[in-house]
Amino acid sequence: MTLVAGVDSSTQSCKVVIRDLDTGAVVRTGRAPHPDGTEVDPEAWWIALRSAVADAGGLDDVAAVSVGGQQHGMVVLDDGGRVIRPALLWNDTRSARAALDLIDEVGAEAFAQRTGSVPVASFTLTKLRWLSDAEPENAALVAAVALPHDWLTWRLRGFGPQNPLLDELVTDRSDASGTSYFNAVTNTYDRELLARALRRDIENSGLVLPTVLEPAEHRRVEVASPEFPKGLVVGAGAGDNAAAALGLDARAGDAVVSIGTSGTVFAVTDTPTHDESGTVAGFADAAGGFLPLIATLNAARILDSTAALLGVDHTEFARLALSAEPGAEGLVLLPYFEGERTPNLPDATGSLLGLTLASATRPNLARAAIEGLLCGLADGLDAVLAHGVVARRLLLIGGAAQNPAVGAIAALVFELPVVVPEPAEYVAAGAARQAAWALTGTRPDWPVELSAEPVADYRPIIRSQYRTAASTV
């Protein structure tokens, strides 16, 4: 049996999934935690990766590995391969002002055309501008800029301060497309934008950016370590959302809605998008195409909070919601509990509208919470589709997707057929699929098991009520 491994180095933890090359069956897994915070010493990721590999039984019998990782994080290295300062993660917002400054300087339309997206505080470019302004002494030391999965791939191949070959840094299109200094149409870095962010001449300074590999390209472990044997095939890696799409084996025509702590909506397409409004991020996927994406701040915690308010667990919460009629007798929950990113309403709060003597029931409140959550994500999908993206099927993933009421009500909210895949570590699964692709040169056709396929029963009244309520904010 030939084995391949996929890594998910996420914000919270590192997961390793080892799969059979021929069938895709999961053979064993491992996990290790990451520290909390919005800035982290990358060494903590390296320690967690090694621990997760050990927890998974090691890689001595594994033929290839690939790393999926949280997007956007800024890892800056000096000319000795040393990390200059703790990495700023995607959820570190101190560069919000820098994002606005860069948009003022370059223009939103120009950013969308040159990089596919309009930068926000999440993106690497804005963090580099913040570094230049807030820590100029550190910015002056920058010899290479990497993303979390780039740096981990480099380390596991045997590089680092003890072997500081910066030119061995590699990445892939999906993660590079989240930097705001990469053009996923031409597959080239926009070094002028990078120079603008760092406020310096990077052409003559020899600043190193990771080589962008194609989906099936690979490198190898060059210097053995106890966890990573020399010669092990190492795939290009991917950003987390692109890796999840690959783990789901999503193809052109598939849209994915992920309901976790935050909500994410993306679609796989062969056509790039350029949204100057900044609503849709025009990312690349991990298979040679594109992955237009929107994100919401409010997702599964809406259901957690409402269930707690009703004093029930999630099983009873689902029963209550399904006992109410579609539309909850006019009760609408606008779920902006923590402000919102899509739509851009950072100071908004949640609102409950349509309260009457008839609608003020526990089942209606449970149903309104689920309908409000899904309507917000459906609006995000509409924003993606407005750019000419074609979607024929919707895959519903994330912890909340396993609640039976969520899947059933999604079939009434979305106009697409909805399927709910079995719960799995899809980022790590996608990284393992990429490792197999790198090993064999062929994208594996592993099956994705479904846990539910609710009957399509679109009810326009739900979206109509939600739009009316949202227009009052």
Side-chain angles (χ1 to χ4, degrees), residues 132-197:
S132 177
D133 291 344
E135 299 178 0
E137 68 286 355
N138 283 332
L141 296 174
V142 175
V145 181
L147 300 169
H149 109 254
D150 311 343
W151 184 82
L152 276 172
T153 299
W154 189 63
R155 288 298 306 270
L156 73 84
R157 292 182 56 223
F159 303 106
Q162 77 290 349
N163 189 21
L165 300 182
L166 298 179
D167 287 341
E168 291 290 344
L169 284 162
V170 297
T171 192
D172 85 304
R173 291 174 65 249
S174 72
D175 224 3
S177 68
T179 62
S180 217
Y181 51 82
F182 180 78
N183 185 324
V185 177
T186 61
N187 291 329
T188 56
Y189 287 112
D190 193 320
R191 299 181 75 90
E192 190 277 327
L193 290 176
L194 191 62
R196 178 181 292 275

Side-chain angles (χ1 to χ4, degrees), residues 6 67 88 94 117 133 157 253 258 285 300-301 311 424 438 465:
V67 180
L88 298 187
R94 71 187 74 180
S117 305
D133 291 344
R157 292 182 56 223
S258 177
D285 75 355
R301 286 181 291 184
Q465 288 182 168

